[in-house]
Amino acid sequence: MEIRWDIFVLIAACSLVTALPRVIPLVLLSRIDLPEPLLRWLGHIPIAVMAALVGQELIHAEAGFSLHEHLDLAAGVLTFIVAFKTRNLLWTVILGCLFAMVLRLLA
């Protein structure tokens, strides 16, 4: 198998560009004691990101009736209930995927 060095360098450069913005803040902030209000605020970021990603998919209006859209909305409502009750992002994602899968299989 031949190795194309230009492709290898491109992949390595893309890896660095992807990893560095994640690693540098982690390394710098791990050495600093952050104030409690900031830590509480940072705790809300995962659910805000999830709401931004999922919200736009659930709330969009198109002309006509689509069963698929209503199933997605139902799965979204059930997932929101899980998120509200558990406050656990992992369980929210897992159960949200299961809700969507089951509702689509039943339809």
Side-chain angles (χ1 to χ4, degrees):
M1 181 170 126
E2 179 186 352
I3 296 177
R4 291 190 49 197
W5 289 103
D6 56 337
I7 301 296
F8 177 76
V9 170
L10 180 66
I11 292 172
C14 289
S15 300
L16 281 175
V17 168
T18 301
L20 286 179
R22 291 174 172 86
V23 172
I24 291 173
L26 181 66
V27 170
L28 293 177
L29 291 176
S30 67
R31 300 170 192 258
I32 300 171
D33 289 331
L34 298 174
E36 184 62 31
L38 180 61
L39 289 175
R40 278 197 314 263
W41 179 78
L42 289 172
H44 296 288
I45 289 177
I47 195 66
V49 169
M50 181 62 91
L53 292 173
V54 174
Q56 67 182 358
E57 290 296 322
L58 293 178
I59 304 171
H60 63 281
E62 289 185 13
F65 175 80
S66 171
L67 180 62
H68 178 73
E69 288 179 18
H70 292 291
L71 292 177
D72 287 346
L73 186 59
V77 168
L78 291 171
T79 304
F80 175 78
I81 292 169
V82 170
F84 187 75
K85 293 286 188 183
T86 66
R87 308 253 187 227
N88 186 318
L89 187 61
L90 178 64
W91 281 112
T92 302
V93 171
I94 290 172
L95 290 175
C97 291
L98 286 174
F99 290 147
M101 183 180 67
V102 169
L103 288 173
R104 288 180 184 179
L105 285 174
L106 294 175

